[in-house]
Structure formats: C-alpha cells, structure tokens
Amino acid sequence: AMVTKAQVHTFVVSGVPRFTLKLHNEARRFTNLVDTLYEHQCRLICSADAPLDELLVGMDRLCSVEAKPAVEAESFPEPVLRKHGDVSFMVSSKSPCRPDTFATAEADAEAGTSVVHFGNSGADSSESGDDGIVGVMAQAADSLRESGFAARRCASRLLEMGTVAYRAGHEARWRS
C-alpha cells in the first residue's frame, strides 16, 4: 500500500545483515519487501554486510527442510483427560499445556516434540554443527521450506534489480 498510495519509487535501507538460519524471520520480512518493490518496479538502494549473491545464502538450506519426531511415540505417557471450565481436553505429563491454560503453537514448539532436519543442499553448513533444530512444530516445515524458496527468489530479484534493463523499466514507469 505504501508503494502505490504514497507513490514511493525508491527505497533506501542500510545495515542489511547476512541472513543466517537464526535470522530466518528477518530474512522473510526482507524477501517480502524485495518482492513488493520488484512487483511495483521500484528501486532499492541498500548497504549490506555481504554481497548480494551471498546475502541470503544461509536461507537456502530451508528449501529441503523436513520435520521428524524428536522422541518416539512409545516414550510418551498415557494422556489424561483435563477440564478447563466447560472444555475437556487430553494432555500428557510431557505436554506444556497446564490444566488452567490451552496449548499454543509456541508452547508446543517449546516442548521440542519435533526436529527440523536440513537436507544437503550444497549450502555452507558451517553455521551449525548438526543438521537440525529441535522444537519446531512439524506443521511449520512447509512454511520454512517456502521461506527458503522465497530467499532464492529474492536473491534472483536483487540481482535483476541491478541490471540496466530493470533500471530502464523503473525510469519508464516512474517518469510519468
């Protein structure tokens, strides 16, 4: 909305970090910004901690993420029926859900019931000694994979936005 309503044609950003897996949420926000600017043929001027072709390389590993249970199902104790007001639900002693609260996605993630594993995508794995992160819900794997593909698209768009052809298109669109 800012780009179309305020007629913003050039966006300046400074201090863009090299995005690692620990910064995957920030990387997703940055890719959304780049997508918006690209789709409206805006210009992006930024200073970054890495060259454009290396800025999002840490995110590439997310393209091959898969979730696997961190613990075997047999190791969970039998669930117990709990009541909260007029609502009944099943909970085990390993669940982060207390009788007086409802489990949330964040609480389930903190319980560490799944591990997100990264496939060998050829990316530099020096930022992590192992191939996974404990405590991510299995349902989040699809979202993480999409973040990886979005980072690839963002890197491609950033490179294209620096071409003479893109800049000419920007000038033609915004000159009138």
Side-chain angles (χ1 to χ4, degrees):
M2 176 182 67
V3 171
T4 55
K5 297 225 190 274
Q7 295 293 307
V8 173
H9 59 79
T10 302
F11 205 86
V12 180
V13 181
S14 63
V16 177
R18 179 187 304 256
F19 293 105
T20 63
L21 292 176
K22 290 181 181 179
L23 296 174
H24 71 89
N25 287 323
E26 292 82 353
R28 187 56 193 228
R29 286 187 212 104
F30 183 73
T31 60
N32 288 340
L33 171 66
V34 171
D35 284 344
T36 299
L37 296 175
Y38 180 87
E39 290 164 5
H40 290 90
Q41 210 155 12
C42 295
R43 185 171 32 182
L44 173 64
I45 300 170
C46 70
S47 65
D49 293 344
L52 289 181
D53 58 341
E54 297 175 17
L55 197 59
L56 292 149
V57 81
M59 303 305 298
D60 196 54
R61 294 178 67 200
L62 292 176
C63 293
S64 58
V65 74
E66 62 180 82
K68 296 179 182 174
V71 291
E72 296 298 321
E74 301 88 49
S75 68
F76 283 108
E78 284 294 315
V80 177
L81 182 65
R82 301 284 181 134
K83 291 188 74 105
H84 180 69
D86 60 349
V87 177
S88 298
F89 54 97
M90 301 298 286
V91 65
S92 75
S93 62
K94 289 192 175 189
S95 173
C97 183
R98 298 186 314 269
D100 61 335
T101 63
F102 290 100
T104 63
E106 293 81 11
D108 287 342
E110 289 172 4
T113 55
S114 64
V115 178
V116 170
H117 291 277
F118 306 104
N120 186 5
S121 62
D124 182 357
S125 60
S126 61
E127 70 180 72
S128 173
D130 58 13
D131 72 338
I133 300 173
V134 176
V136 177
M137 293 181 64
Q139 295 84 345
D142 288 338
S143 178
L144 289 172
R145 270 192 299 277
E146 170 54 29
S147 290
F149 291 120
R152 283 182 180 174
R153 181 180 65 244
C154 178
S156 172
R157 286 182 169 186
L158 284 170
L159 292 172
E160 183 181 342
M161 290 168 83
T163 64
V164 172
Y166 183 88
R167 288 194 303 261
H170 165 82
E171 290 295 325
R173 173 166 182 332
W174 293 99
R175 190 176 302 254
S176 54

